Amino acid sequence: MNKSPFDLKYQNKNIEAKIIASLERIAQAFRVLLWNESKEFSLTPIQIQVLIFLLHHSDQKRKVSYLAEEFNMTKATISETIKTLEQKKLIKKEYEQHDTRSYIIHLTSKGKEIADKTSLFAEEILTPVEKLLPSEKENLLLSLLNIIHHLNQSGIITIQRMCFTCSYYQSQNNGQEHFCSLVNQKLADTELRIDCPEHKPTSIE
Ligand code: SF4
């Protein structure tokens, strides 16, 4: 039988289990920090996450179907979230001329103000990351990208806009070297992206 990383007898003798338990604690910190913002602005965590996403992504991605995939939710749930944000006057809809059932979601000035403030919710997690040595940051980034890539390929998390799932990405030397054919240049490990505006999905995604 597989051992649980949360079984303390197993965890305390196993580095992989300690890493999983640590990631779970960090996920908990994200939840706590988001809840703190929720209370301050009388919004739910998903409403805040949607506002932050709208603040930083292009028109094509600011649609119900894209948001549903991004947040691994049904279209009905995201539509409800958008309806509430509209009632609170934090977003407005721009209906598309070719299909009046489809619309682009824009932040209102009040919505932008709240998104700007709440998008800093992870600052307390940024503090210890900033204190790492450059080589530690590079190793951590690569490790996290590999974990996220695996989760994406396993179908656990859907949309990814990272280099590893981009059709412009090429790797050489057993994955040690990275190349972006869009800009036609090598990418250092630290230049690998987790959310690239130019990302073009591969057929695998
Ligand atoms: S287009 Fe963006 S995501 Fe794709 S390989 Fe280049 S930098 Fe990476």
Side-chain angles (χ1 to χ4, degrees):
M1 198 177 86
N2 286 340
K3 297 280 184 190
S4 162
F6 304 104
D7 172 343
L8 296 188
K9 278 192 191 139
Y10 174 69
Q11 187 191 104
N12 288 330
K13 290 182 182 156
N14 185 287
I15 187 163
E16 290 88 353
K18 287 179 198 172
I19 292 169
I20 299 301
S22 304
L23 289 172
E24 203 275 338
R25 295 286 166 85
I26 292 170
Q28 190 184 359
F30 274 101
R31 286 196 295 275
V32 169
L33 292 168
L34 259 179
W35 267 113
N36 291 346
E37 297 294 323
S38 305
K39 281 184 253 159
E40 185 173 346
F41 293 98
S42 302
L43 294 166
T44 63
I46 185 62
Q47 287 167 358
I48 289 181
Q49 285 175 293
V50 167
L51 290 178
I52 296 171
F53 184 88
L54 295 173
L55 180 66
H56 295 294
H57 292 87
S58 62
D59 281 8
Q60 315 86 286
K61 299 184 178 86
R62 298 208 306 266
K63 296 181 183 180
V64 167
S65 50
Y66 197 94
L67 291 173
E69 276 209 71
E70 173 74 20
F71 292 101
N72 290 294
M73 290 182 159
T74 63
K75 280 191 199 175
T77 308
I78 285 290
S79 296
E80 259 323 290
T81 301
I82 295 300
K83 192 172 151 194
T84 310
L85 291 173
E86 190 178 28
Q87 285 164 351
K88 290 175 183 261
K89 301 195 186 318
L90 300 178
I91 61 109
K92 58 189 173 198
K93 298 173 183 170
E94 180 194 345
Y95 284 91
E96 299 199 88
Q97 284 178 350
H98 64 276
D99 179 1
T100 48
R101 288 165 306 172
S102 168
Y103 53 85
I104 301 167
I105 306 154
H106 298 288
L107 290 170
T108 60
S109 53
K110 188 178 163 199
K112 184 176 178 313
E113 192 184 319
I114 292 180
D116 272 328
K117 284 184 187 153
T118 54
S119 67
L120 303 175
F121 82 95
E123 266 193 330
E124 210 52 59
I125 301 172
L126 188 61
T127 304
V129 174
E130 282 175 337
K131 289 183 183 158
L132 296 173
L133 295 171
S135 60
E136 291 173 327
K137 289 180 198 170
E138 193 171 318
N139 286 337
L140 181 59
L141 175 65
L142 276 178
S143 303
L144 291 173
L145 288 175
N146 281 321
I147 293 171
I148 294 163
H149 187 210
H150 170 86
L151 294 173
N152 175 239
Q153 294 212 308
S154 315
I156 293 168
I157 45 177
T158 50
I159 295 182
Q160 289 304 316
R161 295 173 294 273
M162 65 196 312
C163 290
F164 293 167
T165 62
C166 178
S167 57
Y168 294 121
Y169 174 76
Q170 291 158 19
S171 76
Q172 287 154 356
N173 199 7
N174 250 348
Q176 304 291 302
E177 289 174 17
H178 320 283
F179 188 84
C180 172
S181 60
L182 179 69
V183 291
N184 202 29
Q185 64 184 46
K186 275 188 177 183
L187 300 173
D189 289 349
T190 51
E191 291 171 321
L192 288 170
R193 292 182 175 185
I194 177 77
D195 191 349
C196 176
E198 281 78 43
H199 179 271
K200 189 171 164 211
T202 58
S203 49
I204 298 164
E205 203 181 0

